[in-house]
Amino acid sequence: MNYIGEHLLPGQLGHFFAVLSLVASLLATIAFFKASKLGSPLEQQPWMKLARWAHGFVTISILAMFVILYYIISNHLFEYKYAYTHSDRSLQVEYLLSCFWEGQEGSFMLWSFWNCLLGWVVIHRAGKWEAGVMSVLSFAQFTLATMLLGIYFFDVKIGSGPFVLLRNEMDAPIFSRPEYLSFIKDGTGLNTLLQNYWMVIHPPVLFLGFASTIVPFAFAIAGLMNKDHSWTKPALPWASFSTAVLGLGIMMGAAWAYESLSFGGYWAWDPVENASLVPWLTLVAGLHTNLVYKNSGYSLRPTYFFYIISFILILYSTFLTRSGILGDTSVHAFTDLGMNTQLLLFLLVFLIPSLVLYFVRYKSIPSIEKEESTNSREFWMFIGSLILFLSGAVIIAKTSTPVWNKLFGTNIAPPEDPEFAHNQIQVFVAILIGLLTAVAQYFKYKDTPKAHFRKVLVPTIIALVISLAISFFGNISYDKKGIGFLGALHVAIFAAVYAIVGNTAYLWLGLKGKLKAAGATVAHIGFGMVLLGILISSGKKTVLSWNTTGVSPLRVEEGGKANPAGNPAENLTLFKGVATDMGRYMVTYVKDTTNPRDRKRYFEIDFTSKAGNDNFRLYPDVIKNNKGMEGFAANPAARHYWDKDIFVYITSFQENRAEDTVTFRNREVKVNDTLFYGNGMMILNKVAVNPKEQQHLYGKDETSLFLNMTIISKEGRFYTANPGIALKGQEMRQITDTVLSQSLILKFNKVLDQESGRLEIGVKETGNITDLLTLKVYEFPMINVLWLGIMVMVVGLVMSIVQRVKQKERNSSLTA
């Protein structure tokens, strides 16, 4: 059948380049491996030339696939499954790239791209290690290429191609018609949670971090294969680079969660978050044992292990997040594409050979028999690395519960409070690592004279004073998990402050102000800031939106559009145009507007401090869910101060556009009478003729009567209402009054009996008075310390990389 309107050439070209990248990467693997086994450069030369050309073809193929897929997505060629399932016509141009990494195929392409780019850096910088390292990297490229094939081999599907046609992947009656494309008006769109600027930049940085972990791994494998252990020096800048980029990518994800998700924070110990954190922990451990070996000769075996296990854990996290096994426990995981066997093989093909090689060569790896002195820097750096590894082991064990259930047929339930399940352990890790970060640099390699420890005394006292001030005056009162956990938080705050103060002091006490050599110290200061920011912002996170109106948060079945609101007492309902008490602020729902470009509905919320020293407006938004999900996704907004963030998101909202069919109920009343309504009672205080305070409601030629009434809700809140009438000759008009927060409208109908003072009023209780919303507001104190700490830590790691590269160049010039 000839299908009308299909554009087949882009897909055919894309598939060609996918096959070319597979063949070229296999050729590069063989050529680089062959070169690594030859002794002389002259023998290596033809194989190296072939390998580099092959790697060039791999790079061209991946770039071509990127360009073709972008063309398909940007031109809305919905005959292709990838464009149909990950984009639509209304998507903004800036989010087209996000369509790449929403799907597994595009994220594998991104990984392949960084792998190619890193390969060229290795080719130009690795020297004698090029062949050995690139043989491992090229094999990884080959395994990634198999993920993008999407072909069947004896009824076994290999990979999932991004260039497959929709009609070949879905069963629907329209595909039996040649003009089926005329029925496909639009794609299913990009997941609403990914329509955020962080999701344009976070995945590329994170995947660069993932991809870069293979370089220290490849150096270690090359060292084991060749029984040459000098690889640790050229691997050191790579380990620093990978640590910096992977850490930055993880925290960019935290920033995305903070700005896009509505759980009220930046880290929830989600399984996908954990799966990316654990390799970073082991990589940091390997970086420190690498430094130990460089300076003392100790810890080479742990360095091999940590670099190997870091990359293996990246592959394991890939299996966890892409196999669908985390589908019920994580909001971030990919859906199952039927590639579980291939993903498992992707893990095992690196796991088994690398660990077998490590244990076979274990005894031949140099190791100093004499135990390290407890007064030496290398001893405490190793202890810190071991703690990081054990911390990662605990995290990954808890995260792997679905895997254990699958393997052993068990039904282990996740903890009721997953955050505390991790926090109750990791808070002690924070204490130990914080203390070691503070004091380890004051030790010397090999042995440290006792007199040297006097340098630590002043930083210790300063840190103790600062942390005690934070504890006593900072109102750290997180007692939800008991006094024991609160005490641990205070100790951890001291450890974090100690890490910052201790390393800042070391800049002068140890390094004498030599900033060029201060990369590690600056990175440690940043790490201490990260710890402190996490502890204070989480330990002092305060709910501001306590329900003061007595109005329950909306539920979907009541006509509201809602998101999970958690504890109803923590959600404040606002009526449009009505200033509402919220602790330190009066908060007003001013208006809402829909932006046709990004299809988001923005709510303008005015915050006015009762003290009169602060006024600002925030614009949280909601966007309608897609891909078969009902309701709306909320995107928070935040007001940033140097010492805190005010964080707000919409939990539900209600539009009152329907016709109001509720009628007034007439009630007889006299002065001092009490009447009851659905949510409380009302008292008629007095009747006023032409009251001055209401003169804006009646004309000079009118006579007016106003009722002064007090409304008392069930929650004990008092409101005032003044319904009235205005008379002019034989004409009478009614002046109604509304109590919005009670959904109450009152009107003065008439005087029944002037002598006895009997009056008639109309009472209407209706939800169709005005628009309203429910929101949740948090205060995150000192959260900017966390974000600033990330930047300081990355700067410190970059300083270390620059220092080591320059040192290598100086050594090379001296050798030459």
Side-chain angles (χ1 to χ4, degrees), residues 70-89:
Y70 185 83
Y71 173 82
I72 289 172
I73 292 171
S74 61
N75 285 277
H76 310 300
L77 304 184
F78 295 131
E79 57 265 43
Y80 292 96
K81 181 186 176 183
Y82 208 82
Y84 176 76
T85 55
H86 301 297
S87 69
D88 57 33
R89 297 183 186 277

Side-chain angles (χ1 to χ4, degrees), residues 511-634:
L511 298 175
K512 310 300 181 184
K514 298 175 183 177
L515 288 178
K516 290 183 179 179
T521 304
V522 172
H524 289 158
I525 292 171
F527 180 72
M529 293 172 68
V530 169
L531 281 182
L532 185 62
I534 291 172
L535 291 165
I536 295 180
S537 64
S538 301
K540 265 198 72 177
K541 184 173 79 170
T542 305
V543 175
L544 300 183
S545 54
W546 291 107
N547 191 342
T548 59
T549 64
V551 179
S552 299
L554 299 172
R555 298 192 301 272
V556 173
E557 60 267 26
E558 293 173 338
K561 280 81 173 182
N563 295 288
N567 184 354
E570 297 178 355
N571 291 262
L572 182 65
T573 298
L574 303 181
F575 293 83
K576 195 170 186 177
V578 179
T580 305
D581 189 346
M582 193 188 76
R584 300 195 304 267
Y585 298 94
M586 293 299 295
V587 185
T588 307
Y589 165 23
V590 180
K591 62 180 179 179
D592 58 85
T593 56
T594 300
N595 186 334
R597 184 172 182 271
D598 60 12
R599 306 171 314 286
K600 292 179 179 179
R601 183 171 182 168
Y602 292 87
F603 295 86
E604 184 174 329
I605 313 296
D606 180 85
F607 289 73
T608 301
S609 170
K610 290 179 181 177
N613 58 358
D614 195 13
N615 177 256
F616 58 90
R617 293 193 175 190
L618 291 177
Y619 299 86
D621 67 82
V622 297
I623 183 172
K624 187 172 177 53
N625 282 320
N626 56 8
K627 297 184 177 293
M629 295 185 292
E630 296 181 354
F632 289 74

Side-chain angles (χ1 to χ4, degrees), residues 398-696:
K398 288 179 178 291
T399 303
S400 300
T401 299
V403 179
W404 313 139
N405 288 339
K406 191 98 172 176
L407 285 175
F408 303 111
T410 56
N411 192 26
I412 303 171
E416 290 185 15
D417 187 348
E419 288 189 35
F420 185 65
H422 286 284
N423 288 340
Q424 64 183 338
I425 297 172
Q426 300 306 321
V427 67
F428 295 103
V429 173
I431 292 170
L432 295 173
I433 293 298
L435 294 174
L436 289 172
T437 303
V439 301
Q441 289 199 90
Y442 287 91
F443 287 85
K444 291 182 176 294
Y445 287 106
K446 308 290 186 179
D447 193 33
T448 309
K450 291 184 179 179
H452 195 72
F453 293 114
R454 294 173 185 170
K455 293 182 179 181
V456 188
L457 182 61
V458 174
T460 304
I461 294 172
I462 294 173
L464 187 61
V465 170
I466 294 174
S467 61
L468 285 174
I470 293 173
S471 294
F472 283 108
F473 303 110
N475 192 29
I476 307 294
S477 56
Y478 185 86
D479 56 0
K480 295 180 182 177
K481 300 301 177 182
I483 191 68
F485 187 70
L486 178 60
L489 276 181
H490 286 288
V491 177
I493 287 171
F494 165 72
V497 172
Y498 196 17
I500 299 169
V501 174
N503 281 277
T504 303
Y506 186 78
L507 286 172
W508 284 271
L509 297 175
L511 298 175
K512 310 300 181 184
K514 298 175 183 177
L515 288 178
K516 290 183 179 179
T521 304
V522 172
H524 289 158
I525 292 171
F527 180 72
M529 293 172 68
V530 169
L531 281 182
L532 185 62
I534 291 172
L535 291 165
I536 295 180
S537 64
S538 301
K540 265 198 72 177
K541 184 173 79 170
T542 305
V543 175
L544 300 183
S545 54
W546 291 107
N547 191 342
T548 59
T549 64
V551 179
S552 299
L554 299 172
R555 298 192 301 272
V556 173
E557 60 267 26
E558 293 173 338
K561 280 81 173 182
N563 295 288
N567 184 354
E570 297 178 355
N571 291 262
L572 182 65
T573 298
L574 303 181
F575 293 83
K576 195 170 186 177
V578 179
T580 305
D581 189 346
M582 193 188 76
R584 300 195 304 267
Y585 298 94
M586 293 299 295
V587 185
T588 307
Y589 165 23
V590 180
K591 62 180 179 179
D592 58 85
T593 56
T594 300
N595 186 334
R597 184 172 182 271
D598 60 12
R599 306 171 314 286
K600 292 179 179 179
R601 183 171 182 168
Y602 292 87
F603 295 86
E604 184 174 329
I605 313 296
D606 180 85
F607 289 73
T608 301
S609 170
K610 290 179 181 177
N613 58 358
D614 195 13
N615 177 256
F616 58 90
R617 293 193 175 190
L618 291 177
Y619 299 86
D621 67 82
V622 297
I623 183 172
K624 187 172 177 53
N625 282 320
N626 56 8
K627 297 184 177 293
M629 295 185 292
E630 296 181 354
F632 289 74
N635 292 302
R639 171 74 168 181
H640 304 291
Y641 298 86
W642 73 269
D643 62 337
K644 64 184 177 185
D645 274 8
I646 303 296
F647 175 96
V648 56
Y649 66 93
I650 306 299
T651 54
S652 57
F653 66 96
Q654 179 172 293
E655 303 171 273
N656 292 303
R657 302 289 184 264
E659 182 181 353
D660 187 3
T661 58
V662 180
T663 59
F664 282 94
R665 290 184 298 114
N666 296 330
R667 307 284 296 275
E668 185 178 316
V669 66
K670 294 193 295 185
V671 174
N672 295 325
D673 276 0
T674 299
L675 299 177
F676 291 92
Y677 70 101
N679 195 50
M681 62 183 181
M682 60 187 82
I683 302 169
L684 175 58
N685 300 315
K686 64 179 180 178
V687 180
V689 179
N690 295 334
K692 288 184 178 180
E693 59 270 21
Q694 306 294 340
Q695 62 184 4
H696 61 287

